[in-house]
């Protein structure tokens, strides 16, 4: 399959073409085959993406509505097994990643079907409830209405406190929008309410989606295949840069509730039913809630735990990117550590070239590529710097 033929294929056809990996082999200068190192390519892409980030002020308390297009366009099968099922799986992974990186934030789900926007779940901090609600409502029909979706989320996000960052992420499958009025006026309403709207498209680029994102400060991208869509979607998990109006520091009153004793019967304010043991007690009104973080239904106090604050801290002070260490072939007199400081695995392969290694610019300790990714994406602390303290 020639390269120009691959470009003309649909997404599902390209997926089968990619399985013929022998056609991707390339020759080096001596005529020998070069191995395909997809893991190294993924790390290079990750490193390039990480190096572009700078230390900027970000919004840690986010109120995000995910709008899923379930019109008849979602039944197309260019994304296997269908756009609807594929998007639902990606949204499930995105919600888990979102709450892992934004423990103080809230998510709500909205669907578009038959020209009507419906609220699937209210803003909340429970990933399981959102995923269960979405997977139970997977039916697509009718047209899509972008204006109705924007009007619905505008009504919900308009009640959010000023310290909260209001966002909308639209996963759009259709090539048109069937609106009851002037959508340009709705876009201006969202812009005035400081609602950041972003769109990830599964079809061709649409002008009205691009105009919406430009006016509200969001991003508009179009996925070309399954892996590209997942990558574009997960880019919205980290907190975005704070808008100038929200950059002013605010004091936010929060409560740190205690875990309820086991065996005690109390009425849960979330589900309005009696439950035995567990849960948390609001320090202000003594109401019982099931999980954290949440907002007390009785007194309105934001309830969190100390680990939630700790997990949000790394967005404000990210770890300095590690520097790639050149091979000792250029300087044989220089002696480098033989093992990774993190996992203690060997950084050199006998009889072959040394594997790629990186070093922390502060503590000068050497790490392998896997530890580099783990430190920057999950641990958010350098083991070498921490061992010095």
């Amino acid at each position: 399959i020639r390269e120009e033929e691959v470009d003309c294929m649909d997404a599902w056809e390209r997926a089968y073409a990619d399985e013929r990996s022998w056609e991707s082999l390339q020759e080096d200068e001596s005529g020998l085959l070069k191995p395909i190192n997809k893991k190294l390519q993924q790390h290079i892409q990750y490193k390039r993406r990480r190096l572009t980030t700078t230390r900027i002020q970000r919004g840690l308390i986010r109120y995000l509505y995910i709008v899923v297009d379930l019109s008849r366009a979602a039944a197309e099968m260019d994304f296997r097994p269908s756009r609807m099922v594929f998007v639902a799986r990606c949204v499930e992974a995105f919600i888990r990643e979102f709450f892992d990186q934004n423990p103080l934030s809230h998510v709500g789900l909205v669907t578009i079907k038959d020209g009507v926007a419906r609220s699937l779940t209210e803003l909340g901090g429970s990933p399981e409830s959102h995923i269960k609600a979405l997977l139970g409502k997977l039916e697509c029909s009718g047209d899509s209405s972008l204006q109705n979706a924007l009007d619905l989320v505008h009504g919900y996000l308009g009640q959010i406190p000023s310290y909260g960052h209001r966002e909308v992420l639209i996963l759009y499958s259709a090539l048109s929008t069937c609106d009851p009025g002037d959508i340009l006026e709705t876009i201006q309403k969202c812009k005035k309410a400081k609602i950041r709207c972003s769109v990830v498209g599964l079809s061709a680029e649409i002008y009205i989606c691009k105009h919406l994102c430009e006016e509200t400060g969001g991003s508009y991208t179009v996925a070309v295949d399954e892996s590209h869509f997942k990558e574009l979607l997960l880019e919205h998990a980290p907190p975005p840069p704070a808008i100038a109006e929200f950059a002013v520091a605010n004091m936010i009153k929060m409560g740190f509730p205690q875990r309820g004793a086991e065996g005690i019967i109390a009425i849960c304010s979330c589900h309005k039913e009696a439950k035995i043991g567990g849960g948390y007690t609001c320090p202000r009104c003594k109401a019982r809630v099931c999980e954290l973080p949440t907002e007390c239904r009785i007194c309105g106090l934001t309830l969190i735990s100390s680990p939630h604050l700790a997990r949000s801290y790394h967005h404000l002070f990210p770890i300095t990117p590690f520097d790639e260490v050149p091979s000792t072939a250029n300087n044989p007199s220089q002696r480098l550590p033989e093992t990774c400081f993190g996992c203690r695995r060997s950084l050199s392969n006998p009889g072959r070239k040394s594997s790629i290694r990186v070093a922390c610019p502060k503590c000068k300790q050497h790490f392998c590529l896997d530890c580099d990714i783990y430190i920057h994406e999950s641990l958010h602390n350098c083991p070498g710097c921490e061992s010095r303290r």
Side-chain angles (χ1 to χ4, degrees), residues 7 30 47 58 162 165 181 207 223 246 297 302 307 322 374 385:
D7 293 337
S30 59
K47 200 173 185 68
R58 298 178 179 273
S162 59
H165 291 255
Y207 168 77
F246 294 136
R297 299 291 182 92
T302 301
F322 291 172
Y374 176 70
C385 298

Side-chain angles (χ1 to χ4, degrees), residues 60-339:
L60 299 184
I61 303 180
R62 306 167 63 187
Y63 292 86
L64 171 69
Y65 265 103
I66 304 174
V67 180
V68 182
D69 181 7
L70 294 181
S71 62
R72 67 169 68 94
E76 296 288 339
M77 301 178 66
D78 50 351
F79 290 78
R80 293 180 298 171
S82 68
R83 291 183 182 178
M84 177 183 65
V85 177
F86 173 73
V87 169
R89 292 173 181 171
C90 292
V91 170
E92 178 181 356
F94 171 78
I95 290 176
R96 299 186 190 279
E97 179 68 18
F98 179 87
F99 281 114
D100 183 62
Q101 297 199 35
N102 306 270
L104 303 180
S105 301
H106 297 75
V107 166
L109 291 178
V110 170
T111 59
I112 313 174
K113 185 169 62 174
D114 297 322
V116 180
R118 298 178 176 87
S119 176
L120 203 58
T121 59
E122 297 180 354
L123 287 169
S126 172
E128 299 302 329
S129 62
H130 296 304
I131 294 170
K132 183 179 179 180
L134 177 62
L135 298 181
K137 295 288 185 179
L138 288 183
E139 297 177 356
C140 54
S141 62
D143 297 318
S144 180
S145 176
L146 197 58
Q147 183 185 12
N148 286 337
L150 293 176
D151 282 332
L152 182 63
V153 298
H154 177 269
Y156 291 134
L157 294 177
Q159 307 171 12
I160 298 302
S162 59
Y163 58 79
H165 291 255
R166 308 164 188 177
E167 301 175 52
V168 179
L169 177 58
I170 304 173
L171 309 180
Y172 208 65
S173 298
L175 282 171
S176 60
T177 173
C178 184
D179 301 322
D182 188 357
I183 190 174
L184 298 179
E185 295 181 0
T186 305
I187 293 175
Q188 292 304 315
K189 281 168 48 180
C190 293
K191 180 181 180 181
K192 186 176 181 180
K194 303 294 187 298
I195 300 176
R196 176 191 171 102
C197 302
S198 298
V199 180
V200 179
L202 286 87
S203 302
E205 182 176 300
I206 308 172
Y207 168 77
I208 194 62
C209 293
K210 185 177 182 180
H211 178 72
L212 167 66
C213 299
E214 290 176 348
E215 287 292 314
T216 58
S219 62
Y220 179 40
T221 52
V222 178
V224 296
D225 55 26
E226 287 93 338
S227 60
H228 189 217
F229 180 84
K230 294 177 183 177
E231 181 181 346
L232 295 176
L233 186 59
L234 291 177
E235 285 180 357
H236 294 274
I243 303 174
E245 287 81 355
F246 294 136
V248 180
N250 290 311
M251 298 296 291
I252 304 171
K253 186 174 290 188
M254 293 185 175
F256 295 85
Q258 293 183 345
R259 178 81 176 175
E262 299 294 335
I264 297 179
I265 301 177
I267 297 178
C268 169
S269 61
C270 310
H271 304 88
K272 297 179 176 60
E273 59 184 26
K275 292 190 176 183
I276 301 176
Y280 302 88
T281 303
C282 175
R284 176 189 285 174
C285 65
K286 308 303 179 183
R288 181 65 62 89
V289 296
C290 292
E291 54 193 11
L292 300 177
T294 187
E295 189 174 283
C296 180
R297 299 291 182 92
I298 307 301
C299 64
L301 182 66
T302 301
L303 304 177
I304 64 170
S305 64
S306 54
H308 292 144
L309 284 179
R311 283 163 54 193
S312 301
Y313 182 79
H314 68 266
H315 290 299
L316 299 178
F317 302 96
I319 301 180
T320 306
F322 291 172
D323 301 323
E324 189 170 332
V325 180
S327 173
T328 55
N330 301 329
N331 188 6
S333 61
Q334 183 182 9
R335 185 175 180 83
L336 299 178
E338 296 182 357
T339 59

